[in-house]
Amino acid sequence: MAGKTAGGVQSVERVFELLELITDAGGEVTLSELAGSTDLPLPTIHRLLRTLVSLGYARQLPNRRYALGPRLIRIGDGASRQLGALARPQLASLVKALGETSNMAMLDGDMVVYIAQVPSAHSMRMFTEVGRRVHTHASGVGKAILAQLDDETVRGIVARAGMPTPTEKSIGNVEDLLVDLQKIRERGYSIDDNEQEIGVRCYAMGIPGAPTPTAISVSGPVSRVDDSFAERAIPLLRAAALEVAAALDYEEKAS
């Protein structure tokens, strides 16, 4: 959750605190759960939620729980497009240097959504495209994103979203996933080795300090994306991730 900002408008900060708490809870929450997660008085929480519901930024479900509202979708889509545009120069540099497709994706609820792509010049195309949503556990970007989260949060995400196995190489249970995520944290990048699509290998790396867990990747057919490719790709991926992080930090400070 974002910290309080100097000179901020208190009511605005409180609204976004509630929206972030609902998001952190998986998209829906009870009034009492919100009250237990913040120092705000219960009447204030109730008043702010009523306002958010009336504007469409929150909604009250039949079971009295509060959920994120549909008007947030347009804002989120706009923000993700801007984030993708910000990273396109780095993605293009990766494609120029490595000759394979580069992607950027971010966590969206319990799934991963691709928000930017620079395709390679090769005729073979990956299954990925901007706007596509995939499970976190079966993709390079998804695992790079999960590696930024604690194990309890990972368990919650896969429990809600499920763990389908697109190929026989996909990870199908949470314990094996947690072992793989620890390896990713130690080496600093993830590998999707035929896990999302047979014949395709992907290397991905998280963007440090991104406002929402985000990752970039390079992917291509296993015939070209081999160990020697990885030796060239990992340092370039790391440099690109740091450049995107720096650009995000600059944008935040300039705003």
Side-chain angles (χ1 to χ4, degrees), residues 13 100 186 217 233 243:
E13 291 178 344
E100 302 296 343
E186 291 170 358
S217 69
E243 288 175 7

Side-chain angles (χ1 to χ4, degrees), residues 106-114 133-147 149 153-159 161-164 171 177 180-181 184 190 192 195-196:
M106 64 187 295
L107 188 64
D108 181 26
D110 294 326
M111 302 284 281
V112 165
V113 60
Y114 288 90
R133 289 163 57 86
V134 299
H135 284 81
T136 54
H137 69 284
S139 62
V141 286
K143 292 194 294 181
I145 285 170
L146 289 181
L149 309 174
T153 301
V154 171
R155 288 181 184 276
I157 288 173
V158 298
M163 296 188 71
I171 298 175
L177 175 62
D180 194 25
L181 294 181
I184 293 168
S190 67
D192 164 5
E195 296 166 51
Q196 184 65 57

Side-chain angles (χ1 to χ4, degrees), residues 20-243:
E20 289 186 8
L21 287 171
I22 297 172
T23 301
D24 292 343
E28 63 177 72
V29 69
T30 65
L31 187 61
S32 60
E33 287 169 342
L34 280 176
S37 301
T38 178
D39 295 330
L40 296 177
L42 189 59
T44 299
I45 297 173
H46 194 244
R47 174 174 54 82
L48 293 173
L49 284 174
R50 284 204 315 269
T51 301
L52 287 169
V53 169
S54 70
L55 294 172
Y57 295 110
R59 56 196 176 95
Q60 190 171 24
L61 305 176
N63 61 6
R64 310 296 293 174
R65 295 173 72 86
Y66 287 91
L68 299 175
R71 288 196 69 181
L72 291 171
I73 295 173
R74 184 169 64 90
I75 295 174
D77 286 345
S80 64
R81 285 195 298 270
Q82 286 295 106
L83 181 58
L86 187 72
R88 278 191 65 85
Q90 286 75 30
L91 300 184
S93 293
L94 287 171
V95 175
K96 183 177 180 180
L98 298 168
E100 302 296 343
T101 297
S102 182
N103 289 289
M104 185 178 195
M106 64 187 295
L107 188 64
D108 181 26
D110 294 326
M111 302 284 281
V112 165
V113 60
Y114 288 90
I115 61 174
Q117 182 183 83
V118 176
S120 77
H122 296 289
S123 58
M124 179 180 179
R125 290 289 184 267
M126 305 300 111
F127 82 105
T128 56
E129 60 184 7
V130 172
R132 186 182 181 99
R133 289 163 57 86
V134 299
H135 284 81
T136 54
H137 69 284
S139 62
V141 286
K143 292 194 294 181
I145 285 170
L146 289 181
Q148 302 173 54
L149 309 174
D150 60 71
D151 286 358
E152 181 180 358
T153 301
V154 171
R155 288 181 184 276
I157 288 173
V158 298
R160 291 186 295 268
M163 296 188 71
T165 51
T167 79
E168 66 271 17
K169 297 282 191 177
S170 307
I171 298 175
N173 68 81
V174 69
E175 299 305 326
D176 288 345
L177 175 62
L178 293 177
V179 170
D180 194 25
L181 294 181
Q182 185 54 40
K183 294 177 182 177
I184 293 168
R185 295 180 187 115
E186 291 170 358
R187 68 179 176 236
Y189 61 90
S190 67
I191 307 171
D192 164 5
D193 191 1
N194 294 273
E195 296 166 51
Q196 184 65 57
E197 186 177 2
I198 290 295
V200 176
R201 186 173 290 127
C202 168
Y203 292 91
M205 193 169 295
I207 304 297
T212 298
T214 303
I216 58 174
S217 69
V218 286
S219 56
V222 295
S223 59
R224 296 195 301 262
V225 181
D226 53 15
D227 289 343
S228 62
F229 176 90
E231 291 178 5
R232 295 184 292 119
I234 297 308
L236 294 174
L237 261 177
R238 184 172 294 110
L242 291 175
E243 288 175 7

